[in-house]
Amino acid sequence: MRFAFSKNGAIALALCAASLLFFPQQALAQLSTASVTGAVRDPSGASVPDAQVALRNLDTAVERRAATNAAGNYVFVSVPPGRYSLEIGKAGFRSTQIPELTLEVNQTATADATLAVGAVQQTVEVAASAEMIQSATAELGAVISEKQVVDLPLNGRNFTQLLSLTPGAAPINGPQQSNGFGNTAIGTAYSFPAFNGQQNRSNFFMTDGLNNQAAFASTYVVPPIIDDVQEFKVNSHNDQAEFGGSLGGIVNVVTKSGTNEYHGDLWEYLRNTDLNARGTFDPAVTPFHQNQYGVTFGGPVSIPKLYDGHNKTFFFFGYESFRYSQSNFGFIRVPTPLELSGNFTGPNEPKQIFNPFTTRPDPSNPNVFIRDPFPGNIIPQSLLDPRMVSYAQALLPKPVFTGVSDRNAINTDPTIQAQDEYTGRVDQNIGTKNFIWFRWSNIILDQVLATNLPGLDENTHNPGLNWGLS
């Protein structure tokens, strides 16, 4: 059973407890996990019941066990994606072992086995194929692995650039591609493609099988940190009800959990203007600063002399910060001292300006309104508000020569973005059949977007929260 919690609507933890107590028979939705199923036969093709099957995680040493039924079939459900080994045995037969197989998110892998007659101590090692066969479902989708996520170059460290590697993806230019749309970083590369002919706003984003969809923007609420991504899958055709409600691609990101060894990453990406050239009409090199830095760390929960979480309890933490600042150097037009005094007689002024307080119907045509012109294109001092003149003088830059026609000033207000993201996850294994995980992800995004007028900036504060347990 899986629950998602958001800032705008939290599901009470009591509901979770009640659901676990009163509805234990409800089937688990396999949104962020995998399954392994198979049939065990003897050399004649007959079913082998009561064969013992062990599935062992190679990174955490957590082991799950199952037994084949009367038809010789076994199944493991809700298995976290990762590297596993599989061993099948029964008294009177040689054991069969697959030393390593990789399970991917939302995959239903099939691993059949044939047990030969022999001593239990004898083991037959089977070389598993690079990709497990998925014959138990008609679902279509593509998985982007951790190696691809980490190794492929990504300007801005946004995983959505990898969506174009999946079948049916068509990169398009829509409203979501604009800088800063949703919780995206200005000045970085990202992509929200269309899948299989649907609109790109028909996609749906999930993290660990939880709803991570920004309803208005049709993007994610909290973008996953690259070094926190175990893998992600894009489903383009689904035969499972839990993926309903979307015509486009279902993007499901699985976050990392800790392992039996401590691992961490530390990074910083820096871009500035030290080697940049000055624009043709710019008085200087446009200031530009972009810093993206962070850290991840995970492993077993271990408290000396109190608790040893190896093979049982794991944690993973990630933090990433993004700082961006770039001056616009936009060429604008500001009023001259003569214009501020009401004098519009210069050569670059309009031919005639009119008094809006004299608007009246044209006697020859009542449907047409006319106004009286200002004599000599000069506004009388009685119609000028000195407070607004003072405001314009204080706010707007002084006119200068720019070399650009009809532009007499430069707007140097910077566009600024500060973004901080945190994520934490804890996994607890209970025996060989039960496990619990809890994840909390948060982002705080602040933007100052320059406008066409200096000093009149657009300020945005956009927090995001996504957390849940299973």
Side-chain angles (χ1 to χ4, degrees), residues 19 71 99 131 140 194 282-283 294 305 322 356 362 369 388 419 439:
S19 299
E131 183 174 352
L140 298 178
D282 295 342
K305 299 181 180 181
F322 178 82
D362 188 343
F369 291 83
M388 294 306 300
Q419 178 176 309
R439 178 188 52 78

Side-chain angles (χ1 to χ4, degrees), residues 214-246:
F216 174 76
S218 296
T219 62
Y220 43 68
V221 175
V222 181
I225 300 173
I226 285 295
D227 291 79
D228 187 41
V229 176
Q230 170 75 20
E231 61 189 41
F232 69 88
K233 184 175 184 179
V234 179
N235 291 74
S236 56
H237 169 73
N238 303 287
D239 60 357
Q240 296 174 314
E242 60 265 28
F243 286 118
S246 177

Side-chain angles (χ1 to χ4, degrees), residues 109-130:
T110 300
D112 297 330
T114 300
L115 297 183
V117 178
V120 178
Q121 291 76 14
Q122 295 176 302
T123 301
V124 177
E125 187 173 297
V126 179
S129 59

Side-chain angles (χ1 to χ4, degrees), residues 271-351:
R271 295 175 62 196
N272 55 32
T273 54
D274 289 349
L275 299 178
N276 287 10
R278 177 181 63 86
T280 304
F281 299 105
D282 295 342
V285 175
T286 303
F288 178 86
H289 300 281
Q290 178 179 317
N291 294 78
Q292 194 169 12
Y293 52 90
V295 61
T296 62
F297 186 69
V301 175
S302 183
I303 304 175
K305 299 181 180 181
L306 292 178
Y307 183 75
D308 183 6
H310 285 81
N311 303 346
K312 292 179 294 185
T313 311
F314 309 94
F315 75 94
F316 196 90
F317 169 80
Y319 166 75
E320 184 170 62
S321 179
F322 178 82
R323 296 293 184 269
Y324 174 91
S325 175
Q326 182 177 20
S327 293
N328 293 303
F329 273 119
F331 294 97
I332 61 175
R333 177 179 171 83
V334 296
T336 64
L338 281 177
E339 291 170 341
L340 289 175
S341 67
N343 190 330
F344 288 83
T345 60
N348 295 324
E349 303 296 349
K351 293 181 179 180

Side-chain angles (χ1 to χ4, degrees), residues 422-463:
Y422 310 84
T423 184
R425 173 169 173 154
V426 176
D427 291 74
Q428 175 67 51
N429 290 277
I430 306 172
T432 60
K433 293 185 178 181
N434 299 291
F435 71 95
I436 300 173
W437 62 257
F438 172 82
R439 178 188 52 78
W440 177 84
S441 300
N442 183 40
I443 185 173
I444 302 173
L445 184 150
D446 292 288
Q447 289 178 345
V448 179
L449 302 179
T451 64
N452 290 330
L453 290 178
L456 295 179
D457 299 324
E458 178 185 338
N459 293 273
T460 300
H461 176 67
N462 195 18

